[in-house]
Amino acid sequence: MSEPFRALLHRRRMVRDYLPDAVDRDALERIVGTVRRAPSAGFSQGHRLVVVTDPATRRELARLAGEEKYVAMGLPSWITTAPVHVVVGVREESYHERYRKEDKLVDGDEIGWPAPYWYVDSGSLFMLLQLAALDEGLASGVYGVPGEAVPELR
């Protein structure tokens, strides 16, 4: 491992406290651009990123994630205060479409998926986003939206 990479890994953590400063657009472009290097089973490219900087939309994402429950327990409202959110979307059908193409068929059929690679690839993609943010001198955290809130998120 190279020393700069080792140093980057040493600094990686989940952060729940952010400065209110806007993030430079060029830095954001470099961060989200790292996904071009992310694994994608069969080059399925089933992920979409939505970069959110608008305060009202960030508050809405925090609501969908249930931030008010954390605040009611005395914890800070870290989701709302993060100046940028990168929403990672997954389109499972992109993987199926790719693996129904002739060059991916096994005995004329789509493979039996031993793991949901759309989620495996999402984890890899997310880690690249975190490391890219860190490389830009920024911090990152992760939160999720409960399953019942996903239709509203869409």
Side-chain angles (χ1 to χ4, degrees), residues 1-72:
M1 229 181 322
S2 72
E3 191 57 38
F5 185 67
R6 191 172 299 138
L8 188 68
L9 287 178
H10 181 71
R11 293 189 349 249
R12 198 211 68 74
R13 350 186 120 37
M14 292 295 185
V15 175
R16 303 283 187 270
D17 189 22
Y18 304 97
L19 296 173
D21 307 342
V23 176
D24 177 68
R25 182 176 176 90
D26 289 338
L28 282 175
E29 293 288 340
R30 285 189 298 272
I31 292 165
V32 299
T34 62
V35 302
R36 292 183 193 101
R37 306 299 303 167
S40 176
F43 201 64
S44 301
Q45 301 294 294
H47 295 91
R48 304 296 182 269
L49 302 181
V50 179
V51 178
V52 179
T53 57
D54 175 68
T57 307
R58 292 186 345 243
R59 282 191 300 276
E60 182 62 13
L61 289 171
R63 183 189 69 75
L64 290 171
E67 183 178 64
E68 70 278 353
K69 294 174 190 168
Y70 298 107
V71 172

Side-chain angles (χ1 to χ4, degrees), residues 133-150:
L134 189 58
D135 192 49
E136 293 286 343
L138 301 170
S140 65
V142 62
Y143 67 89
V145 172
E148 64 272 10
V150 169

Side-chain angles (χ1 to χ4, degrees), residues 97-119:
E97 288 169 355
R98 175 64 183 106
Y99 278 82
R100 288 183 200 123
K101 296 201 185 271
E102 191 172 321
D103 67 316
K104 292 292 185 187
L105 296 177
V106 176
D107 297 326
D109 294 317
E110 179 181 359
I111 64 168
W113 291 89
Y117 281 97
W118 37 96
Y119 295 131

Side-chain angles (χ1 to χ4, degrees), residues 78-128:
W78 68 275
I79 299 172
T80 301
T81 60
V84 176
H85 295 229
V86 178
V87 179
V88 177
V90 180
R91 183 175 179 268
E92 177 183 343
E93 188 58 27
S94 293
Y95 285 75
H96 296 294
E97 288 169 355
R98 175 64 183 106
Y99 278 82
R100 288 183 200 123
K101 296 201 185 271
E102 191 172 321
D103 67 316
K104 292 292 185 187
L105 296 177
V106 176
D107 297 326
D109 294 317
E110 179 181 359
I111 64 168
W113 291 89
Y117 281 97
W118 37 96
Y119 295 131
V120 172
D121 290 350
S122 294
S124 297
L125 181 148
F126 184 75
M127 182 55 72
L128 283 177

